[in-house]
């Protein structure tokens, strides 16, 4: 509307001169007028040809007449073709002008000085083509809107697909006939199929895991709408059983129409394993606590029942057992609390640069009385280098003392214990070597497990089976190091701790 | 003649407590530190009653019970199992499978144990008398 008004103003203000932007209307309309004169020329040429043919018949006979007629026909056809091409071009030009003129009024036609038939043609063209152009323009706008909407919907679809595809869970959608209509890469990996090959096939043919296929069929058949089902299922994946939480829900659109059934499988194997470990731990703790408690209860009850009356020696023995077992229980509970505190991160880890040699020396000094009780010597073979490590001093000395204490406990009286430190590549290495009982090969893999005690050595010394587990946690989880063991049953063991070397010079 | 009871436990204090209580009550006691020792003793002896721990090194209580049941001379000997384990299997299943008299959970009462032993033997004696 705005442009229309502006164009009008322009036309009326400069009546004699045409704006360069305006179409050369009169020139365009004049061309067909000239072209329209051509048929007259063609008719005249025809008459001339006929006369020439009659002349030739008199002079040269029939073959010449045929030749002249043929030539003239060719000429006429060429002229007609030329005319048509010209007219077509002019009509195209008219079309273009009409498009430009869309929305202009009769005044514009007057302005161009058109008259008679051309004025009528121009008006008709304006009316009909203008309407068409308007329709085309409207159509174009609609198309643009549609395209935009399509692009948006495609983008949304891609986004939804990307979200479903990047889910770690396996996602499957089946239609009401039980045929697969969607599967994300998670599902393809888990159920070992390709969606392209499986699309539209009945689920039972695609899913080789019979248990899952049966479950899906059962739930789908029972009631396809408003259905929610959740179940834990064990499936064979890559030859190993894994646990899955299977969630099945009906897919229903806003109008309540069923679009099929959505199945999501989440791998809960590690959660299951964690739960099992935790149950195992609780069971082990309960066993370890109940055993000394059983002694305490048994001897206390017998004392109360007067079973040892009249025998002060037996009474004293019973009381001693109660004391020893109570100590054992509190030691166990202390260790348990230590583990819980350190593993749960309640204890603040305060790491700083410390000298490994100082840590070893400190631990060895504290353990010396225990070694002396068994007439053992703790021999130091410490590196002459500084060997700086970044560690929590309390935790690290706990490990040093635990390893030396184990060496003392499982080495017979008069045995030899060596503590050693050295630099190996970029690691500071600390070893405790003993000439003790050693560890049988079959016990090695379980050595660092909680509550594990080497059967053969369990009666040699009291223990909770928690010390090495805690040491491993402190070295590997808290300090990022490594704890290893080498042993020969009956000969002795070497426990080795490797920590990253942080400095060779003390910093103060 | 006093009945002979085989007591089997890897915990020395429990072994001693059970043995003390039962021997004070007049029973003859044979001690074993684990299932292996018990089986060795059983090669040349037949007990009237067996009290065993469940979790023991080398040969555990389950294996010992199966061994007892597999031999004609101990196929019906009453067994009490003492355990600190929350059993993986249900108590009833284990009792039925191994033909156990009862399962006593640690910590247990030596007085209660003695009563169970006496009751079980008393219930068996008339039946045995009728049979002979």
């Amino acid at each position: 509307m705005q442009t229309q008004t502006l164009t009008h103003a322009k036309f009326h203000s400069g009546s004699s001169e045409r704006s360069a932007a305006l179409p050369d209307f009169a020139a365009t309309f004049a061309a067909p007028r000239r072209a329209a004169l051509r048929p007259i020329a063609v008719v005249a040429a025809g008459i001339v040809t006929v006369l020439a043919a009659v002349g030739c018949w008199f002079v040269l006979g029939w073959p010449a007449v045929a030749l002249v007629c043929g030539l003239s026909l060719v000429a006429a056809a060429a002229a007609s073709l030329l005319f048509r091409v010209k007219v077509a071009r002019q009509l195209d030009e008219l079309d273009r002008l009409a498009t430009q003129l869309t929305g202009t009024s009769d005044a514009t036609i007057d302005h161009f000085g058109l008259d008679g038939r051309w004025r009528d043609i121009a008006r008709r063209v304006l009316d009909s083509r203008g309407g068409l152009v308007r329709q085309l323009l409207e159509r174009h706008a609609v198309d643009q809107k549609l395209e935009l909407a399509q692009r948006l919907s495609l983008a949304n679809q891609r986004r939804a697909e990307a979200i479903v595809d990047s889910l770690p869970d396996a996602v499957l959608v089946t239609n009401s006939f039980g045929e697969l209509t969607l599967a994300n890469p998670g599902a393809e990996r888990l159920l070992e199929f390709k969606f392209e090959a499986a699309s539209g096939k009945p689920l039972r043919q695609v899913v080789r895991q019979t248990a899952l296929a049966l479950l899906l069929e059962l739930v789908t058949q029972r009631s396809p709408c408003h259905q929610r089902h959740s179940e834990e299922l064990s499936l064979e994946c890559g030859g190993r059983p894994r646990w899955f939480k299977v969630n099945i829900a009906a897919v229903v659109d806003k109008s309540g129409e069923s679009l099929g059934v959505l199945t999501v499988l989440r791998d809960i194997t590690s959660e299951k394993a964690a739960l099992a470990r935790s149950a195992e731990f609780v069971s082990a703790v309960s066993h370890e606590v109940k055993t000394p408690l059983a002694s305490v209860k048994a001897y206390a009850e017998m004392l109360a029942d007067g079973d040892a009356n009249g025998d002060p020696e037996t009474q004293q023995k019973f009381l001693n057992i109660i004391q020893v077992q109570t100590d054992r229980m509190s030691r166990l509970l202390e260790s348990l609390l230590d583990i819980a505190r350190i593993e749960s991160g309640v204890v603040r880890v305060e790491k700083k640069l410390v000298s490994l040699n100082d840590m070893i020396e400190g631990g060895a000094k504290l353990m010396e009385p225990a070694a002396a009780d068994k007439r053992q010597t703790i021999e130091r073979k410490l590196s002459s280098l500084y060997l700086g490590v970044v560690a929590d001093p309390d935790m690290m000395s706990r490990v040093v003392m635990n390893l030396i204490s184990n060496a003392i406990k499982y080495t017979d009286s008069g045995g030899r214990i060596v503590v050693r430190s050295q630099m190996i590549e970029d690691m500071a290495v600390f070893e405790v070597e003993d000439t003790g009982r050693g560890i049988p090969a079959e016990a090695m893999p379980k050595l660092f497990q909680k509550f594990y005690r080497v059967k053969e050595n369990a009666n040699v010394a009291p223990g909770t089976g928690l010390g090495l587990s805690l040491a491993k946690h402190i070295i590997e989880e808290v300090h990022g190091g490594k704890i290893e063991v080498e042993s020969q049953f009956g000969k002795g063991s070497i426990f080795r701790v490797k920590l990253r070397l942080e400095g060779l010079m003390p910093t103060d | 003649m006093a009945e002979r009871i085989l007591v089997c436990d890897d915990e020395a204090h429990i072994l001693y407590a059970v043995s003390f209580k039962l021997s004070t009550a007049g029973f003859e006691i044979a001690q074993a530190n684990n299932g292996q020792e018990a089986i060795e003793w059983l090669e040349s002896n037949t007990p009237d009653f067996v009290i065993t721990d469940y979790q023991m090194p080398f040969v555990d209580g389950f294996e010992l019970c199966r061994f007892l049941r597999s031999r004609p001379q101990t196929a019906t000997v009453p067994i009490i199992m003492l355990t600190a384990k929350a059993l993986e299997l249900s108590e009833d299943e284990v009792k039925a499978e191994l033909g156990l008299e009862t399962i006593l959970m640690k910590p247990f009462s030596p007085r209660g144990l003695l009563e169970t032993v006496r009751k079980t033997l008393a219930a068996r004696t008339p039946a045995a008398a009728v049979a002979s």
Side-chain angles (χ1 to χ4, degrees):
Chain A
M1 289 300 127
Q2 190 74 18
T3 37
Q4 251 181 32
T5 334
L6 277 175
T7 341
H8 274 218
K10 215 172 216 173
F11 286 162
H12 290 293
S13 63
S15 56
S16 57
E17 47 177 4
R18 283 183 201 148
S19 165
L22 290 173
D24 190 359
F25 210 69
T28 311
F29 277 66
R33 198 184 308 184
R34 276 201 309 275
L37 290 174
R38 299 276 166 82
I40 300 164
V42 172
V43 171
I47 294 166
V48 172
T49 312
V50 170
L51 288 175
V54 171
C56 285
W57 178 63
F58 280 116
V59 180
L60 298 167
W62 287 108
V65 172
L67 186 73
V68 169
C69 283
L71 280 172
S72 63
L73 272 173
V74 169
S80 156
L81 196 69
L82 209 70
F83 177 69
R84 277 185 192 202
V85 168
K86 196 107 183 184
V87 168
R89 200 177 295 150
Q90 297 306 321
L91 281 173
D92 280 350
E93 188 67 6
L94 266 177
D95 192 44
R96 191 180 62 79
L97 287 169
T99 309
Q100 283 182 322
L101 276 169
T102 304
T104 58
S105 69
D106 291 351
T108 320
I109 299 169
D110 294 341
H111 178 79
F112 285 113
L114 294 172
D115 51 356
R117 233 174 108 226
W118 294 116
R119 190 192 167 94
D120 288 343
I121 290 173
R123 189 167 288 131
R124 277 209 300 278
V125 165
L126 277 186
D127 290 347
S128 61
R129 300 309 288 265
L132 191 66
V133 168
R134 255 195 303 280
Q135 274 182 11
L136 280 172
L137 278 175
E138 278 163 16
R139 183 69 192 276
H140 181 65
V142 170
D143 281 352
Q144 267 189 329
K145 272 185 198 163
L146 260 175
E147 199 191 320
L148 193 69
Q150 273 173 350
R151 256 190 233 164
L152 272 175
S153 105
L154 199 68
N156 277 338
Q157 194 186 337
R158 286 212 185 112
R159 212 176 67 159
E161 277 174 6
I163 292 170
V164 172
D165 283 358
S166 53
L167 276 177
D169 300 351
V171 179
L172 295 168
V173 177
T174 44
N175 62 16
S176 46
F177 304 106
E179 296 162 347
L180 197 64
T181 54
L182 185 148
N184 73 344
E188 293 181 322
R189 268 196 309 276
L190 171 64
L191 304 172
E192 294 162 350
F193 68 86
K194 279 274 154 244
F195 178 61
E196 283 88 24
S199 175
K201 279 192 188 165
L203 207 62
R204 198 195 276 254
Q205 284 179 22
V206 178
V207 177
R208 267 178 281 172
Q209 281 79 354
T210 332
L212 179 65
L214 281 177
L215 174 71
L216 292 181
E217 264 174 35
L218 201 77
V219 174
T220 317
Q221 280 164 9
R222 211 184 297 155
S223 156
C225 267
H226 313 298
Q227 180 82 32
R228 274 186 177 279
H229 185 90
S230 185
E231 189 168 322
E232 285 181 2
L233 200 66
S234 175
L235 296 176
E236 191 86 7
C237 292
R240 272 182 302 172
R242 296 194 75 82
W243 275 97
F244 290 92
K245 174 113 176 156
V246 187
N247 279 307
I248 302 173
V251 186
V252 182
D253 71 5
K254 275 177 191 159
S255 64
E257 196 189 335
S258 170
L259 300 175
V261 174
L262 167 73
T263 306
V264 180
L265 287 103
R266 168 163 294 176
D267 191 335
I268 52 163
T269 314
S270 55
E271 284 93 329
K272 277 259 176 195
L275 278 177
R277 271 201 303 280
S278 144
E280 218 169 85
F281 180 70
V282 170
S283 161
V285 170
S286 120
H287 180 263
E288 294 307 310
V289 174
K290 275 177 172 178
T291 303
L293 196 61
S295 286
V296 172
K297 183 183 164 78
Y299 289 100
E301 190 193 282
M302 289 195 290
L303 280 173
D305 284 358
D307 289 349
N309 275 0
D311 184 359
E313 210 176 301
T314 308
Q315 281 177 341
Q316 193 55 50
K317 189 178 176 182
F318 283 11
L319 287 170
N320 282 343
I321 292 172
I322 292 173
Q323 266 176 3
V324 168
Q325 294 301 314
T326 316
D327 286 347
R328 179 175 160 189
M329 267 194 291
S330 52
R331 222 177 26 242
L332 174 76
L333 291 176
E334 271 316 309
S335 305
L336 270 176
L337 282 175
D338 277 346
I339 282 211
R341 274 196 287 255
I342 292 173
E343 283 191 354
S344 67
V346 174
V347 172
R348 274 237 329 259
V349 180
E350 285 178 37
K351 288 186 200 171
K352 56 181 186 182
L353 189 67
V354 288
S355 154
L356 183 64
N357 287 339
D358 288 355
M359 306 272 3
I360 299 170
E361 185 54 48
K365 203 162 254 167
L366 282 169
M367 294 314 295
E368 228 139 38
D373 284 349
K374 289 182 83 175
R375 291 181 292 106
Q376 294 163 339
T377 52
I378 302 177
E379 199 177 313
R380 278 84 152 169
K381 287 189 176 170
L382 302 182
S383 167
S384 56
L385 296 168
Y386 161 74
L387 299 186
V389 292
V390 172
D392 180 304
D394 285 344
M395 287 195 190
M396 201 47 73
S397 82
R398 189 192 287 262
V399 174
V400 171
M401 282 169 58
N402 175 267
L403 294 182
I404 298 177
S405 152
N406 280 350
I408 294 170
K409 281 202 297 196
Y410 299 104
T411 301
D412 290 340
S413 294
R416 197 173 76 118
I417 291 152
V418 180
V419 289
R420 192 179 290 117
S421 73
Q422 55 191 313
M423 183 179 86
I424 300 177
E425 289 168 359
D426 59 343
M427 304 298 265
V429 178
F430 149 55
E431 286 177 354
V432 178
E433 185 179 347
D434 65 48
T435 53
R437 307 243 160 183
I439 300 149
E442 65 270 19
M444 296 288 254
K446 296 187 205 155
L447 205 60
F448 293 98
Q449 283 177 11
K450 286 192 184 85
F451 297 113
Y452 180 77
R453 296 200 66 200
V454 177
K455 275 181 190 175
E456 290 79 355
N457 298 345
N459 294 326
V460 175
T464 56
L466 290 172
L468 282 179
S469 153
L470 186 57
K472 188 181 171 77
H473 182 85
I474 291 174
I475 296 299
E476 299 194 349
E477 306 299 322
V478 181
H479 291 91
K482 186 97 190 112
I483 188 163
E484 298 167 349
V485 59
E486 259 175 50
S487 186
Q488 230 184 326
F489 190 46
K491 294 268 174 73
S493 312
I494 302 174
F495 281 84
R496 185 176 301 118
V497 170
K498 293 178 178 173
L499 293 165
R500 181 196 284 282
L501 188 63
E502 298 288 352
L504 287 166
M505 292 289 285
T507 52
D508 271 319
Chain B
M1 196 191 82
E3 285 93 344
R4 194 148 55 148
I5 302 177
L6 170 64
V7 184
C8 183
D9 201 311
D10 63 330
E11 264 302 305
H13 301 305
I14 302 288
L15 186 63
Y16 177 68
V18 173
S19 307
F20 183 88
K21 186 78 185 178
L22 294 174
S23 64
T24 313
F27 292 103
E28 191 187 323
I29 304 297
Q31 292 184 340
N33 285 307
N34 54 57
Q36 187 67 53
E37 280 186 28
I39 286 171
E40 279 163 23
W41 182 84
L42 285 164
E43 296 296 338
S44 47
N45 298 279
T46 304
D48 300 302
F49 209 110
V50 176
I51 296 168
T52 179
D53 184 20
Y54 161 55
Q55 201 183 35
M56 292 180 293
F58 309 117
V59 174
D60 70 15
F62 269 38
E63 288 168 74
L64 175 61
C65 291
R66 290 206 184 94
F67 175 80
L68 287 164
R69 293 297 176 235
S70 69
R71 302 168 85 232
Q73 59 268 49
T74 52
T76 58
V77 68
I79 306 172
I80 291 179
M81 191 174 273
L82 288 175
T83 179
K85 267 263 182 232
L87 284 181
E88 289 85 353
L89 292 160
S90 92
E91 248 182 78
D92 292 338
E93 257 175 64
V94 177
K95 267 166 74 176
E97 191 208 327
L98 301 174
L100 301 181
E101 211 55 52
T102 189
I103 295 174
L104 289 183
M105 292 292 171
K106 288 178 184 175
F108 65 99
S109 154
R111 195 192 311 131
L113 174 68
L114 176 63
E115 276 167 26
T116 310
V117 171
R118 278 187 175 146
K119 261 187 212 158
T120 307
L121 287 172
R124 293 216 170 192
T125 314
V130 170
S132 61

